Amino acid sequence: MNHQMFCFQCEQTAGCTGCTGVAGVCGKKADTALLQDKLTEALINLARATKGKEDRITAETDQLVIEGLFTTLTNVNFNNETITQLIQQTEAQTQLFDAEASLKKHFDINTLWSADEDIRSLKSLILFGIRGMAAYAYHAAILHYTDTHVNKFFYKALSAIAAEDWGMNELLPVVLEVGEINLQCMALLDRANTETFGNPVPTEVTLTVEKGPFIVISGHDLYDLKQLLAQTEGKGIHIYTHGEMLPAHAYPELKKYKHLKGNFGTAWQNQQKEFADIPAPVVFTTNCLMPPKASYADRVFTTEAVSYPEIIHIGAEKDFTPVIQRALELGGYPCDKKFTGINGGESVMTGFARNAILSSADLVVDAVKSGAIKHFFLVAGCDGAKPQRSYYTQFVKQTPADSIVLTLACGKYRFNDLDLGTIGGLPRIMDMGQCNDAYSAIQVAAFLAETFQCSVNDLPLSFVLSWYEQKAVCILLTLLHLGIKNILLGPSLPAFISPNVLDFLAKNYHIAPITTPENDLRKLLQ
Ligand code: SF4
Ligand code: SF3
């Protein structure tokens, strides 16, 4: 492999095969990609060095592994300086377990990229899956929720990537175990979020921005939003969510802040256009950060694992003063400014997480029994730039009037501003939250299966998923671990799935690519 870089971990990878030139489609430059590879190698070496010395692993070691993995997720960190620091810290930790580690043969990630395609495929599923899971573990840890099972598994999975003589038989169980442990990790984050901020309640969120200074906050980290809300209270600054932060409006401990006003913009891939001329700063707490254009780079701030060269980073002390000052300087719009979603809607609903839906369980069950609800669709996952993604808008528009669309993650911006009406008081589109709230969807599916005494696969419930980055990979593995069949996946299949692995998934789980909304709906409603 003589490429300047090699990365194929996300859906927009060049030519649907791999980013290999001077920069990836996401804007990650070759030198940054090489440093991320080096960080991954260092994490694998650390995991191997802990073997037999697990009792010496500390909270600091766990945190480093989690942060290191999260840092290499798509659209998180473009900063060579912070990645280099993480490599150094990881190497120093490795020395604590194995002083001679530097003398021994290091794992070389190129052996992974150039391995037999099925081995490369399975090991990539493990690596990308744990990168996604690490993001969830990171958010939970910020709220002081950790799980030893989850943390231990990172070392096992990292070591599996380096296992030299492992074939399909050894690697496949680890792939499914990523899904199993990710379910525990999403449960942990669900507990962290709901015990800290309360159970989400259905909430209408306006897309209009009121006049005056405001701050836009993006990403998945609710703790960051809470700090920002507390620090801006009474300062005449309004707060608007963006992207995956939208479901924050539904949490009682966040919605109680009157200056948490609404949601700005749509999904991540539109940020370079949507942020170009806003008179306000934007804070990125996680993915998806795109390289900021010069037109708005001086208004962007990062925090936690997110970083970009020359962009101001808010450190662990969470002092948002520079953001607040920028908001006051910029001053916001002179009068209220109306925005709409991609279908022209002026507001969106969120907050239909497990607790909200299950507390209306009687309504749901009665509507199913009476035939008022004949089908559920989970149309969920990431958004992205490919034009084929309009499939998801068309699909939702064409779902029959006696069906419910459950959704989560940023792919919902394709249709969450549509008004599809209600069934027996329940809105036909219900936003369950962020990607990690796939946990809520799993709980609701399990409840329905128990109520109707059948398996989830026998419910009138179809999974129509969209993927972009590695969180979607770990969630998909969780669904496979749960034995969920007949998932439709788009807009295209991952480049790292080899034909044999795809064949295995198709035979055992009947997973298939999306086709057209008309075809797929016909098939799913049969
Ligand atoms: Fe390419 Fe995606 Fe990797 Fe970026 S993260 S370099 S777009 S495969
Ligand atoms: Fe979106 Fe980046 Fe995946 Fe959490 S914000 S779902 S793409």
Side-chain angles (χ1 to χ4, degrees):
M1 309 240 324
N2 292 317
H3 305 308
Q4 300 192 54
M5 65 178 278
F6 178 75
C7 182
F8 66 164
Q9 67 171 344
C10 82
E11 172 267 332
Q12 66 179 357
T13 194
C16 290
T17 52
C19 294
T20 55
V22 292
V25 176
C26 62
K28 178 167 79 179
K29 300 214 173 82
D31 54 348
T32 310
L34 292 180
L35 282 172
Q36 291 191 351
D37 279 355
K38 230 181 137 196
L39 175 56
T40 306
E41 291 174 356
L43 291 166
I44 290 173
N45 290 331
L46 169 60
R48 294 203 297 179
T50 60
K51 195 163 171 36
K53 300 169 190 162
E54 288 81 2
D55 55 324
R56 281 165 46 196
I57 294 175
T58 62
E60 194 195 338
T61 326
D62 287 342
Q63 190 54 27
L64 190 58
V65 169
I66 289 169
E67 187 175 346
L69 286 167
F70 185 11
T71 297
T72 58
L73 207 86
T74 299
N75 288 350
V76 169
N77 196 311
F78 298 81
N79 196 335
N80 292 354
E81 219 174 287
T82 50
I83 302 168
T84 305
Q85 273 169 21
L86 276 167
I87 295 169
Q88 287 163 353
Q89 286 171 26
T90 309
E91 286 173 349
Q93 270 289 325
T94 310
Q95 295 280 311
L96 298 179
F97 289 90
D98 183 356
E100 267 131 50
S102 57
L103 305 172
K104 287 190 198 146
K105 203 177 150 266
H106 270 205
F107 177 70
D108 175 359
I109 200 142
N110 289 311
T111 60
L112 168 55
W113 305 146
S114 55
D116 158 87
E117 65 171 2
D118 296 329
I119 302 301
R120 175 171 81 154
S121 184
L122 294 171
K123 290 187 172 179
S124 295
L125 276 165
I126 296 171
L127 176 61
F128 304 155
I130 59 169
R131 282 179 178 171
M133 185 168 96
Y136 298 150
Y138 186 97
H139 296 310
I142 288 213
L143 297 171
H144 308 291
Y145 285 72
T146 55
D147 179 326
T148 13
H149 274 104
V150 171
N151 288 353
K152 269 193 189 155
F153 181 72
F154 286 116
Y155 301 87
K156 176 178 177 180
L158 282 165
S159 302
I161 295 164
E164 273 171 20
D165 39 15
W166 282 21
M168 215 90 167
N169 289 343
E170 289 82 16
L171 290 168
L172 255 176
V174 186
V175 170
L176 293 175
E177 204 179 343
V178 175
E180 180 186 352
I181 305 293
N182 182 55
L183 180 61
Q184 294 172 25
C185 190
M186 289 194 297
L188 177 76
L189 181 54
D190 178 279
R191 204 152 58 77
N193 284 338
T194 54
E195 288 180 3
T196 312
F197 304 114
N199 271 307
V201 287
T203 302
E204 186 176 4
V205 182
T206 179
L207 304 178
T208 293
V209 177
E210 285 181 28
K211 68 171 183 190
F214 69 101
I215 296 170
V216 173
I217 178 163
S218 189
H220 304 67
D221 202 300
L222 303 181
Y223 175 79
D224 284 323
L225 172 60
K226 165 83 186 177
Q227 304 309 308
L228 183 66
L229 286 166
Q231 289 177 38
T232 46
E233 198 169 20
K235 293 205 166 81
I237 297 171
H238 297 153
I239 307 296
Y240 291 85
T241 55
H242 171 265
E244 277 282 71
M245 200 60 89
L246 164 65
H249 288 275
Y251 287 86
E253 284 304 308
L254 300 170
K255 70 184 281 157
K256 72 178 187 194
Y257 291 94
K258 295 284 168 277
H259 62 302
L260 176 60
K261 288 284 182 179
N263 187 70
F264 176 83
T266 52
W268 68 272
Q269 74 280 358
N270 301 323
Q271 65 190 257
Q272 290 175 331
K273 206 171 81 208
E274 291 175 345
F275 294 161
D277 56 4
I278 54 164
V282 185
V283 184
F284 278 90
T285 68
T286 63
N287 53 318
C288 279
L289 171 71
M290 296 173 83
K293 295 254 190 233
S295 59
Y296 66 90
D298 66 342
R299 284 177 260 138
V300 174
F301 295 81
T302 60
T303 188
E304 298 301 338
V306 194
S307 187
Y308 196 90
E310 281 155 54
I311 293 292
I312 297 179
H313 187 78
I314 305 296
E317 66 293 346
K318 296 290 166 198
D319 180 0
F320 285 104
T321 309
V323 187
I324 293 170
Q325 274 167 356
R326 202 76 186 97
L328 294 171
E329 276 161 30
L330 290 161
Y333 294 110
C335 48
D336 293 1
K337 194 158 161 86
K338 227 177 219 177
F339 291 96
T340 64
I342 70 165
N343 303 291
E346 292 177 5
S347 69
V348 294
M349 285 292 291
T350 189
F352 294 94
R354 61 182 166 82
N355 194 66
I357 293 193
L358 295 181
S359 61
S360 309
D362 290 351
L363 267 180
V364 178
V365 171
D366 288 348
V368 174
K369 282 187 178 154
S370 74
I373 298 178
K374 290 213 175 62
H375 207 93
F376 295 89
F377 296 95
L378 180 71
V379 187
C382 309
D383 207 348
K386 291 219 178 109
Q388 300 93 290
R389 286 181 182 265
S390 61
Y391 165 96
Y392 296 95
T393 315
Q394 296 314 321
F395 184 94
V396 169
K397 279 186 177 170
Q398 292 175 33
T399 52
D402 53 9
S403 67
I404 293 277
V405 176
L406 301 172
T407 189
L408 50 95
C410 66
K412 63 171 154 266
Y413 283 99
R414 295 275 166 178
F415 50 80
N416 67 343
D417 64 326
L418 288 171
D419 181 4
L420 294 190
T422 55
I423 302 180
L426 296 163
R428 284 202 45 227
I429 301 181
M430 290 197 259
D431 174 13
M432 308 186 87
Q434 300 178 336
C435 46
N436 41 289
D437 296 310
Y439 180 72
S440 266
I442 290 166
Q443 296 305 303
V444 169
F447 163 80
L448 290 173
E450 199 187 303
T451 306
F452 295 104
Q453 294 186 338
C454 63
S455 90
V456 169
N457 288 318
D458 294 327
L459 288 170
L461 165 66
S462 308
F463 293 77
V464 183
L465 308 184
S466 54
W467 86 285
Y468 169 62
E469 34 76 33
Q470 301 75 48
K471 293 172 177 182
V473 175
C474 62
I475 294 171
L476 183 68
L477 294 180
T478 295
L479 296 176
L480 299 185
H481 153 73
L482 291 169
I484 310 273
K485 297 202 165 109
N486 302 313
I487 292 172
L488 292 181
L489 184 64
S492 53
L493 295 178
F496 50 85
I497 302 280
S498 68
N500 283 333
V501 172
L502 181 62
D503 192 51
F504 170 85
L505 295 177
K507 280 205 181 104
N508 290 279
Y509 299 96
H510 308 289
I511 193 167
I514 56 168
T515 62
T516 64
E518 295 77 13
N519 259 338
D520 290 343
L521 269 167
R522 202 177 319 119
K523 202 169 79 186
L524 296 173
L525 290 169
Q526 250 167 29

